């Protein structure tokens, strides 16, 4: 790369990192004009597509770039990030491992550990993340998620608290800690906290609300969940509504899960895992017609939904 293109490339990476996608698109177009086939340009194009959430385009480009640049560790790393974003964790792991073989780097190990966690291979993921967290503290939330998946709530909390003392601005980790501390209360204490807040007319913190819903459902107290959700439904943040939708899905309340999933679908039209759960809940709740109506509304902007519409319609005939 020439010195001028190198400067453009650095500015493009910074724009992507800071979420300035319009600036990034302009800089990327300049690189394309000057060096359309260089590996740096093509890799930055893939980075941009990932940052923009254009995952179908990113997948197609990643597959092509692996063929075009089989010796580039960065291309394999970005291709792994693409597969991870699409929840294709087996493919992501293969690509991260190849990136590490071509050019070992701590960031590749970090994503390898995250991917192993998502695959449920926790005993393999733990030493990878533990080996990084002291030198790279931002690994802490990933390690805490591993412990949470293992059911080791106290260990997860012990990882997050010191991290948040030093990084209080990490909102994701703060929400993660709130959720874990709610779980650590136990069902009875959790219910007492929520009921007290309801009596006082206070807002229920999202982690307490989600944990309380799960505790009620696991105790077979479905009517109380319906009553609770009717009282708070309008004020739910999308993140919390989605979390509760998954709780209802896993705990045998398909009608409420279906309603909550449908509300979130327009902002997550490419979420295949959500669609599969939604279709199951719609079938169990007798709401398939409503689901198909929503799919048809979204399909002009999300053509992949036409295939799901055809498949579901054929099952109804």
């Amino acid at each position: 790369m020439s010195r001028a293109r190198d400067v453009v490339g650095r500015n493009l990476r910074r724009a992507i990192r800071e979420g300035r996608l319009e600036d990034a698109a302009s800089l990327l177009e300049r690189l394309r004009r000057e060096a359309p086939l260089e590996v740096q340009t093509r890799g930055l194009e893939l980075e941009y597509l990932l940052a923009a959430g254009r995952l179908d385009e990113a997948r197609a480009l990643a597959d092509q770039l692996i063929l075009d640049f089989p010796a580039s560790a960065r291309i394999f790393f970005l291709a792994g990030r693409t597969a991870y974003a699409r929840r294709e964790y087996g493919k992501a792991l293969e690509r991260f491992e190849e990136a590490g073989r071509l050019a070992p780097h701590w960031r590749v190990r970090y994503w390898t550990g995250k991917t192993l966690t998502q695959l449920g291979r926790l005993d393999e993921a733990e030493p990878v993340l533990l080996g990084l967290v002291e030198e790279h503290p931002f690994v802490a939330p990933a390690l805490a998620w591993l412990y949470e998946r293992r059911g080791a709530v106290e260990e997860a909390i012990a990882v997050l608290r010191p991290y948040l003392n030093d990084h209080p601005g990490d909102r994701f980790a703060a929400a993660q800690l709130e959720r874990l501390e709610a779980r650590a209360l136990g069902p009875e204490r959790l219910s007492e906290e929520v009921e007290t807040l309801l009596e006082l007319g206070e807002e229920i913190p999202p982690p307490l609300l989600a944990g309380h819903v799960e505790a009620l459902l696991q105790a077979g107290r479905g009517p109380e969940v319906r009553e609770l959700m009717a009282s708070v439904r309008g004020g739910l943040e999308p993140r919390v509504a989605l979390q509760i939708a998954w709780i209802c899905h896993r705990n045998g309340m398909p009608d409420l899960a279906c309603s909550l999933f449908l509300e979130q679908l327009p902002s997550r039209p490419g979420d295949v895992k959500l669609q599969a759960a939604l279709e199951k809940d719609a079938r169990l709740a007798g709401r398939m017609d409503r689901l198909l109506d929503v799919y048809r509304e979204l399909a002009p902007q999300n053509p992949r939904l036409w295939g799901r519409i055809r498949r579901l319609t054929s099952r109804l005939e």
Side-chain angles (χ1 to χ4, degrees):
M1 251 188 174
S2 72
R3 183 173 179 180
R5 289 203 300 272
D6 191 43
V7 171
V8 174
R10 287 200 301 272
N11 290 337
L12 173 52
R13 288 191 183 92
R14 186 180 302 113
I16 291 172
R17 187 169 60 250
E18 295 174 357
R20 295 183 286 109
L21 295 183
E22 289 188 12
D23 292 344
S26 176
L27 290 164
L28 179 59
E29 188 56 38
R30 179 175 168 183
L31 275 183
R32 282 175 176 154
R33 288 195 303 267
E34 297 180 9
L37 301 179
E38 284 195 8
V39 62
Q40 291 92 337
T41 302
R42 300 293 275 160
L44 284 166
E45 182 179 356
L46 181 52
E47 262 192 272
Y48 169 76
L49 291 174
L50 275 172
R54 293 159 59 178
L55 297 185
D56 288 343
E57 295 170 72
R59 179 182 63 174
L61 180 59
D63 291 346
Q64 183 60 50
L65 294 185
I66 282 174
L67 298 176
D68 292 343
F69 305 104
S72 171
R74 179 150 186 81
I75 291 298
F76 271 96
F77 173 70
L78 291 171
R81 291 280 305 274
T82 301
Y84 187 97
R86 294 180 56 83
R87 297 184 174 85
E88 297 170 344
Y89 299 120
K91 182 184 290 187
L93 182 61
E94 292 174 6
R95 292 172 172 179
F96 289 138
E97 288 177 339
E98 181 62 14
R101 187 188 69 78
L102 290 166
H105 192 276
W106 69 265
R107 197 173 293 275
V108 175
R109 296 199 303 277
Y110 166 62
W111 280 93
T112 300
K114 281 168 62 78
T115 306
L116 286 166
T117 300
Q118 294 299 97
L119 287 168
R121 293 162 59 176
L122 306 183
D123 290 342
E124 296 172 66
E126 184 176 12
V128 176
L129 297 175
L130 277 173
L132 295 171
V133 71
E134 184 173 351
E135 190 172 348
H136 306 283
F138 81 91
V139 173
L143 182 60
W145 170 238
L146 182 154
Y147 290 140
E148 184 176 354
R149 287 198 60 168
R150 188 180 277 163
V153 173
E154 294 298 338
E155 287 183 63
I157 290 172
V159 168
L160 283 176
R161 278 180 177 158
Y163 167 76
L164 280 166
N165 286 338
D166 295 330
H167 303 83
D170 189 331
R171 290 181 295 176
F172 172 82
Q176 187 180 11
L177 180 59
E178 285 183 359
R179 184 179 69 249
L180 288 163
E181 288 177 335
R183 286 185 61 184
L185 285 175
E188 291 185 8
R189 279 282 312 282
L190 186 59
S191 294
E192 289 174 8
E193 291 279 342
V194 172
E195 287 166 7
T196 300
L197 290 169
L198 286 170
E199 288 172 5
L200 295 173
E202 299 285 344
E203 184 178 349
I204 304 170
L208 290 184
L209 178 61
H212 185 51
V213 168
E214 186 162 24
L216 288 174
L217 288 176
Q218 290 177 352
R221 296 161 64 182
E224 293 177 55
V225 170
R226 296 183 196 282
E227 184 178 346
L228 174 63
M229 292 304 297
S231 68
V232 301
R233 184 77 165 273
L236 285 181
E237 297 177 9
R239 174 181 59 85
V240 180
L242 187 60
Q243 185 180 358
I244 293 174
W246 281 110
I247 290 170
C248 292
H249 172 75
R250 291 193 300 265
N251 288 276
M253 187 164 277
D255 57 329
L256 187 51
C258 182
S259 296
L260 291 166
F261 278 138
L262 282 172
E263 291 172 6
Q264 303 307 311
L265 183 62
S267 62
R268 308 174 68 92
D271 191 332
V272 181
K273 184 180 177 182
L274 183 153
Q275 290 164 8
L278 171 56
E279 289 165 13
K280 179 179 180 180
D281 289 323
R283 177 175 54 80
L284 292 172
R287 302 193 61 191
M288 193 60 73
D289 288 342
R290 174 58 184 151
L291 171 59
L292 286 168
D293 287 342
V294 174
Y295 273 2
R296 291 187 185 104
E297 291 171 10
L298 298 174
Q301 290 76 40
N302 304 277
R304 289 178 174 272
L305 289 176
W306 290 118
R308 304 191 81 94
I309 291 168
R310 287 192 294 271
R311 179 173 54 79
L312 293 172
T313 302
S314 67
R315 291 182 180 177
L316 293 175
E317 293 173 351

